[in-house]
Amino acid sequence: MTSASISNSNLKGALCATVAAMCFSLNDVGIKFLSDTYALHQIVFYRSLIGILTFALIIMPISGGLKTMRTRLLHWHLARGLCVVAANSFLFLGLASLPIADAVAIFFVSPLVIAVFSVIFLGEHVGPRRWAAIAIGLLGVLIMVKPGTSAFQIAAILPAISATLYALMHIIARRIGGTESAGTMTFWILVSFMTVSATVGLAIGDGRYASGAPEVLTFLLRAWAPLDPADIPIFVMLGTSGIIGGFLISQAYRIAEAAFAAPFEYVSMPMAVIWGVVVFGTFPGVSTWVGIALILGSGLAMIYLETRRRPAPRPDTKVYSNT
């Protein structure tokens, strides 16, 4: 690929990642809003049902119809699906226990992990300045998590675990993106969510394990609750924004360099602060602001470094389709 075509793909990927991050921000606020009433697997199940309808009506027609469901790389799709299901579970458990801005800020170590994984698994180049930016971002996470202090919460680890799984999911998307469309990747993510949430609901949906469970696990182990009609619009929002965001983020990492696309997801961070203040009445403390500044600054530095210097593609660089 030429430098011009790589830049063009990266710009398209950045736009997809930005819009996807906005969709996921809506998901975060919706999940946190419902977390006091419904079990996590119940919310995911209803969200997936609405997501399948949205996929069938909007994404499937523009992605090639029924052939969107066909793949020769089922094992990779299932691995990616398990990663995203686990990543969402850890993040949503964190959202239920932490202020939304704190949970989202800790989660956004993911672009830094993606940069590390892109070197390990994809052979992409990360120079010394980008390594320095990664280290600064990780310092921001440590400031927010406060390990070894009385302010430390187990729940603060959950978004960090989610970020690692999320990064692995996108590395898989980058690896298979040359032959698999964003629509195909989105479909198998939906299948994973539906299968896991239904299975967990059948296994523990009666709430028998909720009694005496640690507070951080209450959201996961709670019994399924009757659906309040007033909450239906929120579930619709979760299903539609989740599936559109999932499609766009798959497209972003399919066509763009992973380390370049990842920082554009940081648009979720200021949105999380706004949601926290407006919807939940929580305002970030000093350590949260310091952590946000370091994490956000490291991501923006990586974007700046990418635009200043782009190495010529290696002769063995894989060709990724933009369609």
Side-chain angles (χ1 to χ4, degrees):
M1 295 180 70
T2 65
S3 295
S5 63
I6 292 175
S7 297
N8 185 50
S9 293
N10 280 345
L11 289 175
K12 290 179 181 178
L15 178 60
C16 289
T18 301
V19 179
M22 294 179 180
C23 291
F24 291 146
S25 181
L26 288 174
N27 254 248
D28 291 343
V29 71
I31 293 286
K32 185 169 180 63
F33 187 83
L34 296 172
S35 64
D36 288 335
T37 305
Y38 303 96
L40 172 57
H41 38 88
Q42 182 181 11
I43 295 174
V44 173
F45 182 78
Y46 287 149
R47 185 185 75 159
S48 300
L49 282 178
I50 297 168
I52 286 176
L53 180 61
T54 305
F55 180 86
L57 293 177
I58 299 177
I59 296 178
M60 185 179 287
I62 66 175
S63 300
L66 293 176
K67 71 178 183 180
T68 304
M69 298 181 286
R70 294 199 298 266
T71 180
R72 295 180 179 179
L73 300 174
L74 182 59
H75 59 293
W76 281 115
H77 286 289
L78 294 179
R80 187 169 178 266
L82 290 176
C83 283
V84 72
V85 169
N88 273 252
S89 298
F90 282 113
L91 176 60
F92 295 156
L93 287 172
L95 282 169
S97 303
L98 299 169
I100 188 171
D102 291 52
V104 171
I106 295 170
F107 171 78
F108 268 104
V109 71
S110 59
L112 312 179
V113 180
I114 288 171
V116 174
F117 282 0
S118 70
V119 174
I120 297 172
F121 298 114
L122 302 178
E124 294 180 359
H125 176 73
V126 175
R129 294 182 180 179
R130 283 165 62 183
W131 284 120
I134 290 170
I136 292 171
L138 293 176
L139 175 61
V141 172
L142 290 176
I143 289 174
M144 296 186 67
V145 174
K146 306 180 185 73
T149 71
S150 59
F152 172 73
Q153 300 182 59
I154 292 295
I157 298 178
L158 301 177
I161 297 174
S162 173
T164 303
L165 292 165
Y166 185 78
L168 185 58
M169 178 192 77
H170 288 317
I171 292 300
I172 294 174
R174 179 65 173 160
R175 178 173 288 276
I176 68 176
T179 59
E180 304 297 286
S181 72
T184 302
M185 287 190 274
T186 304
F187 171 76
W188 288 105
I189 289 293
L190 269 175
V191 170
S192 300
F193 272 122
M194 282 292 298
T195 302
V196 173
S197 61
T199 301
V200 173
L202 289 172
I204 64 173
D206 57 2
R208 62 182 180 273
Y209 297 113
S211 179
E215 183 178 354
V216 72
L217 295 179
T218 301
F219 183 29
L220 176 63
L221 301 176
R222 182 185 298 132
W224 280 38
L227 184 61
D228 187 341
D231 293 330
I232 292 177
I234 300 177
F235 279 105
V236 172
M237 181 271 290
L238 289 175
T240 53
S241 63
I243 195 65
I244 292 172
F247 174 78
L248 290 174
I249 205 66
S250 295
Q251 182 73 344
Y253 286 93
R254 195 179 72 86
I255 65 176
E257 290 177 299
F260 181 83
F264 287 91
E265 296 185 63
Y266 281 120
V267 70
S268 290
M269 202 172 293
M271 293 183 70
V273 175
I274 294 171
W275 292 130
V277 174
V278 174
V279 179
F280 303 106
T282 57
F283 196 79
V286 174
S287 62
T288 300
W289 280 118
V290 172
I292 288 175
L294 290 174
I295 296 170
L296 184 59
S298 68
L300 294 176
M302 290 174 67
I303 295 174
Y304 174 75
L305 292 171
E306 281 287 344
T307 58
R308 284 290 302 271
R309 186 179 76 88
R310 179 169 304 285
R314 303 191 307 266
D316 60 344
T317 298
K318 294 181 180 180
V319 176
Y320 293 89
S321 170
N322 291 335
T323 57

